[in-house]
Amino acid sequence: MRYSFRVKGNRRLFVAYGLILLLLFLTAAPLVILPGIAGMFIAVLFGYFAFQMIRMLLNHIKSFIMTHDDGITLRFPTSSLERLEWDQITHAGIIRTPEDKLVRFIYAEGKDRLATIPEEYNRLEDLDEELKAKTAWYELSQEKGKSIQETIRPVTKHADGDDESEDSDEKDKEISD
């Protein structure tokens, strides 16, 4: 099933649209107010910012999550396409932030890959059900001042530095054999 970025009714997009319009206005205004090189320089600068903002917005709109029988494919704005097999995903769940927002996460411990999914995607309840059926599901609360990574860490093998002691125990066993 495909879960796409929600465009309709998304307040964050309205802010982005407003900012783009403001930047486009600020691109044209200096040409009228400041003739010459100074006006052209300011117009080019604001035009560049508008271009970057439009590019970022389009990357957000094109992002998606797709589940398959054998895994999940993720395309987020800041990364290329990533595919994870179901057996690679070790943790999935919901984190309630201090601002009382829900953030979904998918973590592949072997690859040390963390994907966070904001509420701007369609049909997230269906995604939750698919993840619950295929992976270990967690419901966590984020403490104020802690990152999402710090919130997830206690349920992973990295909790309390256990991963270092396990690695050293394994090395000790190999050396003694």
Side-chain angles (χ1 to χ4, degrees):
M1 184 173 284
R2 184 182 172 107
Y3 304 94
S4 302
F5 190 79
R6 187 179 69 236
V7 177
K8 233 179 193 178
N10 190 336
R11 281 192 240 147
R12 292 170 93 185
L13 284 181
F14 291 130
V15 172
Y17 294 146
L19 187 57
I20 290 169
L21 288 174
L22 176 66
L23 288 170
L24 291 174
F25 172 76
L26 291 173
T27 299
L31 296 173
V32 176
I33 298 170
L34 294 170
I37 301 280
M40 182 65 80
F41 177 75
I42 293 171
V44 167
L45 185 67
F46 281 117
Y48 175 75
F49 290 144
F51 169 76
Q52 290 298 330
M53 189 73 183
I54 291 168
R55 196 174 88 177
M56 181 196 71
L57 183 65
L58 289 175
N59 282 336
H60 271 81
I61 291 171
K62 287 193 266 183
S63 66
F64 65 86
I65 302 161
M66 187 177 298
T67 57
H68 311 279
D69 291 337
D70 56 341
I72 189 166
T73 302
L74 308 162
R75 186 194 186 284
F76 290 112
T78 56
S79 68
S80 60
L81 216 55
E82 176 142 6
R83 186 177 173 91
L84 296 170
E85 302 297 322
W86 286 119
D87 60 349
Q88 292 175 321
I89 300 171
T90 55
H91 302 77
I94 293 178
I95 298 174
R96 185 171 298 279
T97 67
E99 296 82 26
D100 208 32
K101 293 185 181 194
L102 297 178
V103 177
R104 278 127 179 112
F105 70 92
I106 298 170
Y107 182 59
E109 211 162 28
K111 288 185 162 189
D112 196 28
R113 301 293 291 169
L114 173 66
T116 57
I117 305 162
E119 291 192 34
E120 278 87 14
Y121 284 82
N122 290 321
R123 302 185 325 270
L124 287 175
E125 296 79 21
D126 295 341
L127 177 63
D128 292 348
E129 293 305 316
E130 281 192 74
L131 290 171
K132 284 177 186 177
K134 304 275 186 178
T135 65
W137 183 259
Y138 297 87
E139 293 185 14
L140 307 170
S141 293
Q142 183 181 16
E143 295 176 20
K144 193 168 185 127
K146 276 193 166 184
S147 68
I148 290 177
Q149 291 86 345
E150 292 170 323
T151 303
I152 296 169
R153 178 176 227 111
V155 298
T156 66
K157 71 177 182 181
H158 304 294
D160 299 325
D162 288 344
D163 57 326
E164 293 173 14
S165 63
E166 286 175 10
D167 290 343
S168 63
D169 288 345
E170 288 176 20
K171 288 179 187 173
D172 290 342
K173 287 178 187 175
E174 289 175 15
I175 292 170
S176 64
D177 291 337

